[in-house]
Amino acid sequence: MYANGSTPHIATPTAHRHNNFEKHAWLFMRASGVVLLVLVLVHVYVNLVAGDGVHKVDFAFVAGKYASPFWQLWDFGILWLAVLHGTNGIRVIICDYIRPAMTRWALTTTAYAAAALMLVAGTYTIFTFDPCIASAGNPPAVCATPH
């Protein structure tokens, strides 16, 4: 109570529901960044450092990796996290620097459409990759050879 007998105004929470999207997007950026760091470092180590290094990476190497569901899921995780992380980053940049609402909407919609296209094409490629169809004349070692 004030000296004049009045009480201070205390802000009361509004009845409308608060949208926590930005908080969740911020948390996603931090978590996905850490997970992506681990996924990509292991990916680079396995593909470029271990064994013969970059000289072993060819069609047969990729075919051998994608014969394993483990590596398909690993690359699927990298794909989805990287695209969603990058799209969220672009969304934040657009919201921070583009003032006209219509331009902001158009750029954000374009970013979302590009992300959806990359996710669909990448997921399709990872899970339908079949090296034996593409190289019928000279199949890699992962393909069963008819006797």
Side-chain angles (χ1 to χ4, degrees), residues 39-65:
L39 290 173
V40 170
L41 286 176
V42 171
H43 177 84
V44 168
Y45 179 79
V46 167
N47 289 331
L48 303 177
V49 178
D52 295 335
V54 72
H55 303 292
K56 74 175 176 182
V57 178
D58 59 6
F59 184 82
F61 176 79
V62 174
K65 271 188 68 182

Side-chain angles (χ1 to χ4, degrees), residues 14-93:
T14 57
H16 67 81
R17 197 171 150 203
H18 292 284
N19 185 355
N20 287 326
F21 175 77
E22 290 300 330
K23 179 180 85 169
H24 294 300
W26 184 87
L27 290 171
F28 170 77
M29 289 298 278
R30 273 65 191 164
S32 65
V34 171
V35 174
L36 271 169
L37 185 64
V38 172
L39 290 173
V40 170
L41 286 176
V42 171
H43 177 84
V44 168
Y45 179 79
V46 167
N47 289 331
L48 303 177
V49 178
D52 295 335
V54 72
H55 303 292
K56 74 175 176 182
V57 178
D58 59 6
F59 184 82
F61 176 79
V62 174
K65 271 188 68 182
Y66 277 7
S68 165
F70 175 81
W71 290 114
Q72 286 180 325
L73 288 174
W74 192 275
D75 285 355
F76 176 74
I78 292 173
L79 169 73
W80 274 76
L81 279 178
V83 170
L84 294 177
H85 183 93
T87 303
N88 190 39
I90 291 295
R91 182 192 64 80
V92 169
I93 291 170

Side-chain angles (χ1 to χ4, degrees), residues 5 12 114:
T12 57

